Amino acid sequence: MVALTVIVDRRNLPIPESLVQHDSLITAWDRICRVHSMHASPHAKRGLLIFGQSGAGKSYLAKTYESLFPAKKTPEKTIKPVFYYRFREAKKSTDDILKLLIIALGTTPPRGRTEPGELDEQFTRLVQSMEIELLILDEIQQILPKSDCLTAFNTLKYFCALLDELNISIVFVGSERAMKLLTLGRADKAAEDNEQLSRRMLRPVMMDGIEPCTQQWLDCVNWFLSQINVHPLSPDDGDLLNRIFIAFTERSFSTLESLFLTEDMSGINNTTQLKHKLRENFAVYGKGDINPFDTKMLSNKEVESTIELYFRTTVTRGIQC
């Protein structure tokens, strides 16, 4: 009797309240759900690249998605529908990558010199036995050389083979340099057409920031305020919203986490106290020489000029600054 593969549609999976919703995050979430749903569809494009600047929330998004599918242990085995791995150091060869993944899955790879295909066979068995549906590889640019080379092509071909031969989907997460996954070898036609990873991928998603003076920016700031039980801001608080945005341009959501969620923020009852606490936090965690919450360093008029300068090359704002 032939076993039937049950395909579960993840595309209506709601976005958790722990994520700050904005356009690019909503798109990225939808694409992850979509590509996950297609893990057992042999003719579907089951790869996805999510890229963007540091601090845009890519890793937090990926780890949040993984957390919705916790591993289940049975007497016979461990079932892990979603496997997330973050590369913390540069790795060049496919064998090096496989060893890291095998160890992360709780197994010891063969010691010493291995036979050709031995690590791949072990990793394939683990994926199948643990019933992994979605593989999320974060900081993928760590394993991509800055220039095209044979090692890079071999890595690319291996990812192609995983998508072709296993019932899994793969989400790659990384910086702008991760776009090399889709362009490697294309310029000089070093890679054959059927070896290009882009043929197996959905359209990549760029995780970018939020525009100032928009409802999304107001909602974003108020989400962080809700986490610390502080009364929400309104469009009338334009100066403070703009100062927070100027800080946001440093390291995106990483900056907001440092400003709002790192230190004790209890006892804040008005915007004056909030601005004072944000000034203190920026002095500790901010990178710039100018503290946007210090009116001696940045006057109200200078704040307005900074926002106007930002808008000279962007679309029309949504709410009045």
Side-chain angles (χ1 to χ4, degrees), residues 252-270:
S252 192
F253 287 97
S254 293
T255 297
L256 296 185
E257 290 174 7
S258 298
L259 290 176
F260 290 97
L261 305 181
T262 303
E263 298 290 335
D264 180 14
M265 299 289 278
S266 60
I268 296 175
N269 299 310
N270 53 58

Side-chain angles (χ1 to χ4, degrees), residues 210-221:
I210 305 174
E211 300 292 341
C213 304
T214 62
Q215 185 62 47
Q216 282 198 348
W217 176 242
L218 179 62
D219 292 343
C220 172
V221 173

Side-chain angles (χ1 to χ4, degrees), residues 42-192:
H43 303 297
K45 293 185 177 182
R46 291 179 284 116
L48 172 67
L49 171 63
I50 298 174
F51 70 101
Q53 294 183 350
S54 177
K58 305 181 300 295
S59 295
Y60 188 66
L61 168 69
K63 288 186 284 189
T64 298
Y65 191 86
E66 181 208 24
S67 70
L68 300 181
F69 303 90
K72 298 177 182 178
K73 293 187 177 181
T74 69
E76 296 80 19
K77 62 181 180 179
T78 297
I79 299 173
K80 193 174 182 64
V82 178
F83 172 48
Y84 168 91
Y85 184 81
R86 182 177 185 178
F87 293 100
R88 292 175 172 80
E89 56 182 310
K91 291 296 180 183
K92 295 182 179 180
S93 73
T94 303
D95 282 357
D96 288 338
I97 296 168
L98 284 173
K99 287 177 182 178
L100 290 174
L101 297 178
I102 289 169
I103 292 172
L105 287 171
T107 304
T108 302
R111 298 183 180 276
R113 193 169 183 176
T114 58
E115 296 296 324
E118 186 176 359
L119 290 168
D120 172 58
E121 183 179 347
Q122 184 180 19
F123 179 68
T124 298
R125 286 200 308 269
L126 285 171
V127 168
Q128 293 172 337
S129 66
M130 299 179 77
E131 299 182 25
I132 295 174
E133 302 169 352
L134 178 65
L135 177 61
I136 303 178
L137 300 177
D138 198 357
E139 301 292 352
I140 192 66
Q141 73 280 355
Q142 292 277 25
I143 65 172
L144 297 174
K146 294 183 178 180
S147 59
D148 296 2
C149 64
L150 180 60
T151 301
F153 291 129
N154 288 337
T155 300
L156 180 144
K157 288 170 65 176
Y158 184 72
F159 289 143
C160 290
L162 288 180
L163 290 171
D164 291 345
E165 298 170 12
L166 296 178
N167 289 330
I168 63 169
S169 296
I170 305 178
V171 173
F172 303 96
V173 182
S175 66
E176 286 91 339
R177 194 161 68 85
M179 282 294 290
K180 285 181 68 69
L181 279 171
L182 307 183
T183 60
L184 195 64
R186 185 181 296 173
D188 55 7
K189 297 184 178 180
E192 294 293 335

Side-chain angles (χ1 to χ4, degrees), residues 280-298:
E280 290 183 343
N281 290 348
F282 189 89
V284 175
Y285 299 103
K287 302 295 183 182
D289 294 330
I290 297 177
N291 188 324
F293 304 102
D294 190 332
T295 54
K296 294 181 180 178
M297 290 186 177
L298 202 65

Side-chain angles (χ1 to χ4, degrees), residues 224-290:
F224 280 92
L225 292 176
S226 71
Q227 304 304 300
I228 57 176
N229 297 315
V230 173
H231 193 274
L233 300 181
S234 74
D236 293 335
D237 300 302
D239 179 70
L240 180 53
L241 287 165
N242 287 340
R243 290 177 184 274
I244 297 172
F245 182 80
I246 292 171
F248 174 77
T249 59
E250 275 202 352
R251 292 179 297 119
S252 192
F253 287 97
S254 293
T255 297
L256 296 185
E257 290 174 7
S258 298
L259 290 176
F260 290 97
L261 305 181
T262 303
E263 298 290 335
D264 180 14
M265 299 289 278
S266 60
I268 296 175
N269 299 310
N270 53 58
T271 55
T272 300
Q273 293 175 340
L274 175 61
K275 187 186 293 184
H276 176 76
K277 190 62 180 178
L278 292 175
R279 183 175 72 238
E280 290 183 343
N281 290 348
F282 189 89
V284 175
Y285 299 103
K287 302 295 183 182
D289 294 330
I290 297 177

